[in-house]
């Protein structure tokens, strides 16, 4: 994977440009990192390992269950690009943004069509990845969405709290 360093991108609401966020020095693990990779099967475990290694290297205090869910989400989102967008998007990008209390992962491709979460069909052997992403995100107390890019592609993002949601 090609590490392009820090990059711009959407952030969880309430963190960018607020007086509180500007008044406090960032914690040592806060930052934004962006990786690119070819839209091929081998990029799925590479992306997952790159995200895991980055979080460990930066010392991000992410709860283990949140981390495991996040890594599964990365695998699902990169797999979707490989399976459904590779023809129009031979390269994908993974961005990791870490704040004081949250982590945001986005996967970007150049395919113009917005993915849809398919209804659960127990007879199908696939097609439930986005449903899984949505469920993991909601269970952790996070948010997810799909946005179009200026270049005509899309970015699918997930923001999760570093600590699990309390019910």
């Amino acid at each position: 994977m090609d590490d392009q360093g820090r990059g711009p991108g959407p952030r969880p609401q309430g963190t960018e440009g607020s007086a509180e966020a500007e008044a406090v020095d960032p914690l040592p693990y806060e930052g934004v990192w962006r990786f690119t990779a070819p839209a091929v099967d081998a990029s799925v475990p590479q992306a997952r390992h790159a995200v895991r290694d980055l979080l460990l290297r930066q010392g991000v205090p992410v709860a283990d269950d949140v981390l495991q869910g996040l890594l599964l989400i990365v695998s699902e989102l990169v797999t979707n690009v490989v399976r459904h967008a590779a023809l129009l998007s031979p390269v994908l990008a993974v961005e990791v943004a870490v704040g004081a209390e949250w982590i945001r992962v986005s996967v970007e491709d150049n395919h113009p069509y917005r993915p849809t979460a398919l209804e659960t069909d127990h007879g199908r052997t696939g097609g439930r990845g986005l449903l899984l992403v949505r469920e993991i995100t909601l269970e952790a107390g996070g948010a997810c969405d799909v946005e179009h890019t200026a270049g005509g592609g899309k970015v699918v993002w997930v923001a999760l709290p570093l600590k699990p949601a309390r019910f």
Side-chain angles (χ1 to χ4, degrees):
M1 301 197 89
D2 180 24
D3 179 357
Q4 297 177 349
R6 294 174 176 248
R11 307 286 176 260
Q13 292 180 337
T15 60
E16 191 172 310
S18 70
E20 291 176 16
E22 293 174 11
V24 178
D25 288 332
L27 295 169
Y29 59 82
E30 289 183 88
V32 179
W33 297 266
R34 186 174 176 90
F35 307 93
T36 59
V40 297
D41 288 337
S43 293
V44 176
Q46 288 176 349
R48 185 177 58 249
H49 295 155
V51 169
R52 182 200 63 209
D53 294 347
L54 170 71
L55 298 176
L56 291 173
R57 185 174 64 244
Q58 292 303 121
V60 177
V62 60
D64 188 58
D65 54 343
V66 173
L67 176 62
Q68 296 309 315
L70 183 72
L71 296 177
L72 181 55
I73 287 169
V74 168
S75 293
E76 290 294 335
L77 296 180
V78 173
T79 296
N80 281 352
V81 174
V82 170
R83 287 191 181 158
H84 305 293
L87 186 61
L88 295 178
S89 186
V91 175
L92 62 94
V94 177
E95 185 175 274
V96 180
V98 182
E101 298 178 0
W102 53 267
I103 183 167
R104 180 186 184 277
V105 172
S106 61
V107 177
E108 182 178 340
D109 64 63
N110 291 322
H111 198 287
Y113 297 112
R114 182 181 175 102
T116 57
L118 301 176
E119 294 299 320
T120 301
D121 176 355
H122 297 290
R124 290 180 57 132
T125 58
R128 292 187 286 267
L130 288 178
L131 288 171
L132 181 62
V133 167
R134 186 177 63 203
E135 290 304 313
I136 292 169
T137 301
L138 293 175
E139 185 175 308
C144 59
D145 202 359
V146 180
E147 298 172 358
H148 290 285
T149 64
K154 65 184 166 301
V155 62
V156 181
W157 62 266
V158 173
L160 301 176
L162 291 176
K163 305 295 179 205
R166 305 282 184 237
F167 293 103

